[in-house]
Structures are given as C-alpha cells and as structure tokens.
Amino acid sequence: MIGRRFLALALASLLAACASPVTVKTDFDVKTDFGALRSYSWIAEPAGDPALVPQSVIQGIDTRLQARGWKRVADGEVHVAAHVTTRDGQTFNNFYSGIGHDLRWLGVSGARDSVTMSVDNYRAGTLVVDMFDAKSRRAIWRGSAEGVLPDDPSRLDATVQRTLDRLFADFPPGAPKR
C-alpha cells in the first residue's frame, strides 16, 4: 500500500514538474519614443490557426493598447500585426520500478523490475505581435508568447487573455510601471 502511495506521489510530482508555463518575450527599438505615440492601425488581421480565437486576440490587443491611451484609427502612427500558430507534440514518460533495487523498504513485496511508458499528447501555441513605425516602416516592438494550450476549449480564451496581460505588462517600454 505504501508503494502505491509513493508511486502516485512520484507521478503527481512529475506531472506538476512537466506543466508548461507560457514563455513571454518582448523586444523593442530603444530609439523609439513610445510616449509620443497615440494611434495605431492593424496592417493585417491575425494570421494563423483559427483554433486560437484570432478575434479574441485582436480584441485583447485593442483593449490593452487603448487602456494605455492609444487609439485605433484607419491609418495610425504604428502598424500592428499578429500571427498565431499551433503545433501538436508528444511527451514520452518512462516509469521505472525495481530496476536493480530491493523495493521491500517501500512495502512492495515480490516486486519485479519493470518499465512502464506513457505518451502525453498536447497542442502548443505561439502568438507573435509586431509593431512598425508607419512612416519609416521599421520594426519598433515585438512580443511573443508560447506555451501548451489547455485541453478544455472553454479555458482557451482565459488563457489567451492571461497571456496578453503578461505580453503587455511592461508596454509601452520606458513608461512608468502601473
């Protein structure tokens, strides 16, 4: 009985350790005075996998830019583009029991050496948001986020919104912290 509890605890710890947090990265042109910019326009609707709710991405980005005083107009000072991709992946897990060890100390009597393999399927997503100076057409800001998407479709929008919160947490660059 103790052996089963130990195995269950070890499995739970392993799965918790394998949980994939969202990785967020941003970069910007240090020569750009983001404080002087007040308007933006989309140069293209988000391209990519429709499973990542592109309309939700557009609205989420609009909300965050407008909360920082930017206004969406037909031809803004900054042009915004977003791209969404997904990929399927697998994680292979091996669980060893008794490999060259006496398991009696765990309360497992007569245990044999064994290896159990499991496969976890997942879908990973990547969101890239680019901003360009409308006059010079040079890139001034890029934010990217990637991570494992939730299995439950009803949690997808909440995941996208939390990711956008993190992506725009320090936007605009050089502004006082909120």
Side-chain angles (χ1 to χ4, degrees):
M1 190 57 128
I2 293 174
R4 286 185 184 169
R5 278 188 258 167
F6 177 79
L7 185 59
L9 180 61
L11 178 60
S13 298
L14 180 65
L15 291 176
C18 291
S20 174
V22 174
T23 301
V24 173
K25 298 177 184 175
T26 60
D27 193 16
F28 63 96
D29 179 358
V30 296
K31 297 175 193 164
T32 300
D33 180 7
F34 285 88
L37 301 172
R38 294 283 175 243
S39 66
Y40 72 98
S41 55
W42 285 91
I43 56 174
E45 296 292 313
D49 192 329
L52 275 184
V53 199
Q55 192 58 41
S56 178
V57 171
I58 293 170
Q59 290 172 347
I61 293 170
D62 283 345
T63 298
R64 283 150 185 89
L65 291 177
Q66 290 166 13
R68 285 152 176 87
W70 288 31
K71 184 176 180 181
R72 183 175 175 177
V73 296
D75 191 25
E77 300 165 290
V78 175
H79 292 169
V80 179
H83 188 75
V84 174
T85 60
T86 60
R87 66 176 173 79
D88 293 324
Q90 293 182 318
T91 301
F92 299 93
N93 304 299
N94 291 323
F95 301 98
Y96 300 95
S97 65
I99 303 300
H101 297 286
D102 183 0
L103 295 182
R104 285 180 289 185
W105 67 275
L106 288 175
V108 180
S109 59
R112 295 184 176 261
D113 293 350
S114 67
V115 178
T116 304
M117 183 176 175
S118 68
V119 177
D120 294 324
N121 296 310
Y122 63 89
R123 176 161 268 211
T126 301
L127 167 65
V128 177
V129 180
D130 288 311
M131 295 185 186
F132 303 90
D133 179 281
K135 290 180 183 173
S136 68
R137 300 200 183 274
R138 65 184 166 81
I140 59 171
W141 187 88
R142 170 174 269 193
S144 65
E146 60 184 327
V148 175
L149 302 174
D151 290 335
D152 181 359
S154 67
R155 292 182 18 222
L156 183 58
D157 185 56
T159 300
V160 168
Q161 297 311 313
R162 278 192 310 274
T163 300
L164 287 171
D165 284 343
R166 288 188 53 210
L167 195 63
F168 285 92
D170 293 326
F171 188 87
K177 300 291 181 205
R178 293 179 147 320

